């Protein structure tokens, strides 16, 4: 009878150890699941940041093209159009040379042909005069 009782005790101890190991494994699996959930959340945040960075890069590219186009309007002292690289743009120089060949010798006629250039300052000065009279 003592052998049966000892055998039952050993089985009971083994079942307790198995139960404790099972609980420990359950806690470990819960920790792994929590870590995987956190990694998934961080991955989604990173994906959103990548999308935002890509959108910002596209916006900056569009703005740089717009700025380059706006800066291309200005000319250097020698009459050559400025380029973003600081070198002259040959196509702009050739266009200006062709325009100069067609321009009449009378500067007043040339200015009448470029009415947009003369209107803006006139309207700006008229606005200044209105403010002065108020």
């Amino acid at each position: 009878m003592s052998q049966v009782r000892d055998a039952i005790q050993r089985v009971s101890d083994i079942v307790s150890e198995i139960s404790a190991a099972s609980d420990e494994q359950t806690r470990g699996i819960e920790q792994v699941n929590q870590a995987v959930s956190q990694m998934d959340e961080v991955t989604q945040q990173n994906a959103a940041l990548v999308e935002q960075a890509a959108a910002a890069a596209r916006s900056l590219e569009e703005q740089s093209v717009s700025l380059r186009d706006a800066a291309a309007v200005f000319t250097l002292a020698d009459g050559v159009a400025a380029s973003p690289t600081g070198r002259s743009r040959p196509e702009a120089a050739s266009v200006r040379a062709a325009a100069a060949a067609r321009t009449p010798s009378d500067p007043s006629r040339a200015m009448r042909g470029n009415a947009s250039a003369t209107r803006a300052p006139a309207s700006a000065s008229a606005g200044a005069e209105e403010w002065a009279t108020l």
Side-chain angles (χ1 to χ4, degrees):
M1 187 69 154
S2 120
Q3 289 178 339
V4 172
R5 189 179 55 196
D6 289 341
I8 290 173
Q9 185 63 39
R10 279 185 268 149
V11 169
S12 178
D13 290 343
I14 291 172
V15 168
S16 293
E17 288 176 14
I18 290 172
S19 177
S22 176
D23 288 342
E24 191 174 330
Q25 283 181 342
T26 300
R27 285 191 299 273
I29 289 171
E30 287 173 356
Q31 288 177 345
V32 168
N33 283 338
Q34 184 180 12
V36 168
S37 294
Q38 288 175 345
M39 289 182 351
D40 183 48
E41 184 179 331
V42 169
T43 301
Q44 289 177 3
Q45 290 173 352
N46 284 345
L49 290 173
V50 166
E51 288 178 16
Q52 289 176 351
R58 283 190 299 273
S59 176
L60 285 174
E61 183 178 11
E62 291 169 1
Q63 290 176 8
S64 69
V65 167
S66 177
L67 182 60
R68 183 183 62 219
D69 291 345
V73 172
F74 297 102
T75 56
L76 300 175
D78 61 358
V80 178
S83 73
T85 59
R87 289 178 254 142
S88 65
R89 291 182 12 197
E91 66 274 4
S94 63
V95 167
R96 247 190 312 288
R102 288 185 301 231
T103 304
S105 59
D106 182 9
S108 64
R109 290 178 65 201
M111 291 303 288
R112 281 185 297 236
N114 190 359
S116 64
T118 58
R119 281 191 200 126
S123 63
S125 64
E129 290 174 11
E130 288 177 18
W131 283 104
T133 59
L134 289 177

